Amino acid sequence: MIDKLNRELEEKVEEKTKELKHQSETLDHLAHYDSLTGLPNRLLFLDRLKQAIKHAKRRNKNVTILFLDLDRFKEVNDTFGHEIGDKLLKEVAIRLLHCVRDEDTIARLGGDEFTIILEDVGQNEVIRIAKNIIKAMQEPVYIRNQELYTTFSVGISSYPEDGNTSSILIRNADTAMYKAKENGKNNYEFYNSKMTEVAFERLMMESGLRRAIDENEFVTYFQPKIDAIDSKVIGSEALVRWQHPLLGLVPPMKFLSLAEDIGLIKYIDEWMMMNTMKIMKKLQDEGIYTGIVSLNVSMKHLEDKQFMQYFRETIANIGFDTSFLELEITESQIMKNPVSAIETLKNIRLMGIRISIDDFGTGYSSLSYLKRLPINNLKIDREFIVDAYKDEEDASIVRAIIALAKSLNLSYIAEGVETKEQLDFLLEEGCHNIQGYYYSKPLPESAFKEFLLKN
Ligand code: C2E
Ligand code: CA
Ligand code: CA
């Protein structure tokens, strides 16, 4: 009797133990594997990388990691939704598994980031694998009748050359991956120490820019626009400068694309329009003729409700007469989506503001849209102005733009005019609205005021 009870009890215990073991295995799996792709997750990846480095140290071998990031994955998610995005990641994981050996670890770090650990592999083999990964993405992925294309940017770092801890190796592979993105995506890059310098500079610029917005380190410069027939000022273009506490005056080319990347350009443009209108209003109140002032804005901001609200409020607060205001928008931005641009720009025109197409001639305008766009002015790009007086091809482009402006009843201006030859050519062709170093460089407020008083 006791024997039987004992046996039953033992069986129960055994059963429970099995159950617990199974449960703990499931939990273990959940903790170490990514539920979407079934690949090792960050935790397990770190664990394996540390192990691999330890082994390599003992045996004098190397470890290489590949840091992979899908290009434009966010676009897929935004366009097709997360469900399709998830399916794409699953398919990508399967393709990656075909690119490596069984003993290599592929992990999903999260989002669209994957890593691969290769132990004791020579550089040629690493290159072969990286190329295979790029190639594996060339075929489209079909999801619900959608044909999706995606590519990888890959950064590569190795123990011991590029670092001797897991965190340094990961950081350096990540840096190399960014370099691959910068170089046009869909390729791979090996880490080198120069990249860290560049990344550091970028980081300094980035934190500097954030501070610049809080601390108000921007200034507005004005470049006069002149009617060459009587040399009178007809207006000016407001151009942003960054007064950096250590670097001095930084031109927009050095910081605008970074500001764009990190989403700060909107604040810079908001500040510019506020500050420009304030200065102009002051000059007008002093009885100085300023003409029309032009601001550079991106199409994206004009389609942004918050930006437009800030714009309207600023005009009202300053009490600025909008008939003295013009917006310069680049041709390529307008032509990206001309149908929606027509609507957006109509509303700007209703506010009494002029619209000028900047860098005209570089953006492949569709003539039928050009006719329907509510614009006032074409700004002929400097690229054509430079050599037009001696280069027949450039000359005929300038002539064509002038003819186009005339037939559409638009005003037109040449930018980047530096020399007498360039000016004479333009006057001969009937273009007398001129902006450029020939008359003046962009000037800070005080010098601009002097310029206005003299002219
Ligand atoms: P952009 O709108 O085409 O402005 C004209 C650029 O040409 C200015 O450069 C101006 O200083 C320069 N320039 C004017 N005359 C001459 C000349 O005779 N010769 C030469 N070589 N250059 C001349 P800047 O001020 O460095 O601005 C560069 C670009 O940065 C601008 O090109 C514009 O796209 C952008 N930008 C400037 N300020 C702002 C701003 O407040 N907001 C935005 N979103 N972009 C801005
Ligand atoms: Ca401009
Ligand atoms: Ca321009």
Side-chain angles (χ1 to χ4, degrees):
M1 181 62 186
I2 293 273
D3 263 6
K4 186 166 174 262
L5 268 180
N6 257 342
R7 226 181 306 123
E8 272 180 15
L9 208 59
E10 261 170 35
E11 273 167 24
K12 270 252 162 65
V13 169
E14 207 170 295
E15 206 176 291
K16 264 284 171 236
T17 312
K18 256 194 204 156
E19 213 173 276
L20 276 174
K21 186 156 177 272
H22 180 71
Q23 274 179 0
S24 103
E25 273 169 11
T26 318
L27 277 178
D28 196 54
H29 197 273
L30 278 179
H32 291 105
Y33 289 85
D34 165 44
S35 58
L36 179 70
T37 60
L39 293 176
N41 64 11
R42 180 185 290 269
L43 200 66
L44 185 53
F45 162 71
L46 285 175
D47 210 43
R48 291 206 183 153
L49 181 56
K50 282 183 188 145
Q51 285 301 326
I53 292 173
K54 231 193 240 166
H55 280 182
K57 256 185 201 155
R58 234 181 275 138
R59 305 200 182 104
N60 250 339
K61 305 257 169 165
N62 64 56
V63 181
T64 296
I65 63 170
L66 277 63
F67 197 111
L68 290 71
D69 189 292
L70 280 179
D71 302 320
R72 303 185 192 87
F73 179 66
K74 195 177 168 299
E75 272 171 42
V76 173
N77 258 344
D78 290 350
T79 317
F80 300 103
H82 286 268
E83 212 180 307
I84 302 268
D86 282 356
K87 291 212 162 93
L88 179 67
L89 290 172
K90 267 188 180 171
E91 171 63 25
V92 163
I94 294 168
R95 291 191 187 182
L96 286 179
L97 284 167
H98 287 296
C99 297
V100 296
R101 307 166 303 180
D102 284 345
E103 62 264 38
D104 302 325
T105 295
I106 298 189
R108 179 174 172 228
L109 286 199
D112 57 348
E113 289 178 350
F114 296 84
T115 44
I116 299 176
I117 304 172
L118 305 171
E119 291 182 69
D120 197 23
V121 170
Q123 190 171 27
N124 285 343
E125 179 66 4
V126 175
I127 291 175
R128 200 186 58 82
I129 291 173
K131 283 189 170 154
N132 272 347
I133 292 170
I134 307 280
K135 212 168 120 204
M137 297 299 136
Q138 274 169 6
E139 294 294 312
V141 179
Y142 292 96
I143 299 170
R144 292 220 202 101
N145 297 329
Q146 286 288 350
E147 194 178 62
L148 298 179
Y149 283 91
T150 183
T151 54
F152 267 124
S153 293
V154 183
I156 304 166
S157 70
S158 295
Y159 168 88
E161 310 91 270
D162 304 327
N164 50 16
T165 68
S166 54
S167 56
I168 294 175
L169 281 182
I170 295 169
R171 196 190 62 208
N172 289 346
D174 186 40
T175 301
M177 185 278 289
Y178 268 101
K179 184 74 191 160
K181 291 234 185 228
E182 260 177 45
N183 287 353
K185 308 191 171 89
N186 193 25
N187 62 25
Y188 63 89
E189 268 316 317
F190 283 88
Y191 171 78
N192 67 49
S193 56
K194 183 102 186 75
M195 290 177 186
T196 298
E197 274 169 46
V198 173
F200 183 70
E201 256 170 40
R202 191 183 153 93
L203 205 69
M204 291 300 288
M205 279 293 266
E206 194 175 320
S207 63
L209 262 183
R210 291 185 196 282
R211 189 204 54 225
I213 286 173
D214 292 339
E215 305 281 318
N216 238 331
E217 289 173 8
F218 297 105
V219 255
T220 308
Y221 270 51
F222 297 90
Q223 187 174 35
K225 297 181 181 179
I226 307 290
D227 182 343
I229 290 180
D230 54 10
S231 297
K232 286 257 165 7
V233 177
I234 49 173
S236 62
E237 175 175 9
L239 295 156
V240 68
R241 300 287 181 264
W242 177 11
Q243 185 66 57
H244 191 284
L246 297 174
L247 302 176
L249 207 62
V250 187
M253 287 310 185
K254 287 245 166 76
F255 65 87
L256 279 186
S257 82
L258 175 63
E260 173 120 56
D261 283 355
I262 59 179
L264 292 181
I265 193 149
K266 185 171 147 187
Y267 304 104
I268 298 176
D269 279 353
E270 284 183 352
W271 181 85
M272 270 296 283
M273 74 192 187
M274 184 271 293
N275 195 52
T276 302
M277 284 195 276
K278 258 192 189 161
I279 294 173
M280 280 293 155
K281 178 79 163 79
K282 207 169 61 193
L283 291 172
Q284 289 165 358
D285 287 349
E286 289 173 27
I288 298 171
Y289 179 75
T290 60
I292 288 165
V293 67
S294 308
L295 284 163
N296 292 286
V297 287
S298 79
M299 206 57 225
K300 198 172 85 200
H301 294 160
L302 299 180
E303 279 158 2
D304 178 331
K305 280 211 178 76
Q306 267 178 315
F307 184 89
M308 284 310 294
Q309 193 187 340
Y310 180 84
F311 195 14
R312 285 173 202 274
E313 282 172 10
T314 308
I315 291 170
N317 287 341
I318 296 175
F320 197 76
D321 179 349
T322 51
S323 63
F324 287 107
L325 199 54
E326 179 177 80
L327 300 183
E328 291 189 7
I329 307 158
T330 62
E331 183 185 21
S332 52
Q333 282 184 28
I334 291 179
M335 288 303 157
K336 234 186 226 163
N337 191 348
V339 180
S340 92
I342 291 172
E343 282 317 302
T344 309
L345 297 183
K346 267 185 188 159
N347 288 324
I348 304 280
R349 291 288 300 126
L350 285 176
M351 293 164 71
I353 299 167
R354 281 169 54 94
I355 292 161
S356 169
I357 305 193
D358 206 350
D359 302 345
F360 194 82
T362 59
Y364 307 102
S365 272
S366 142
L367 292 184
S368 62
Y369 283 124
L370 208 52
K371 222 173 74 182
R372 288 164 52 199
L373 278 163
I375 51 174
N376 306 87
N377 184 70
L378 298 183
K379 194 165 188 185
I380 312 170
D381 194 68
R382 175 170 174 269
E383 185 186 329
F384 309 113
I385 304 294
V386 179
D387 291 331
Y389 70 94
K390 57 172 188 193
D391 179 307
E392 202 32 55
E393 225 170 282
D394 287 347
S396 51
I397 292 174
V398 172
R399 273 185 212 113
I401 295 175
I402 292 172
L404 184 66
K406 279 184 178 157
S407 77
L408 292 173
N409 236 341
L410 304 172
S411 58
Y412 47 95
I413 185 167
E415 72 175 337
V417 180
E418 292 182 3
T419 66
K420 185 85 171 57
E421 287 114 312
Q422 292 167 348
L423 179 68
D424 287 345
F425 167 82
L426 288 161
L427 284 174
E428 213 161 285
E429 295 302 328
C431 177
H432 49 91
N433 290 343
I434 305 290
Q435 180 183 349
Y437 296 170
Y438 180 78
Y439 285 109
S440 171
K441 289 201 166 179
L443 305 169
E445 181 185 344
S446 54
F448 177 58
K449 186 174 165 180
E450 269 172 45
F451 190 94
L452 289 175
L453 288 172
K454 251 192 278 166
N455 293 268

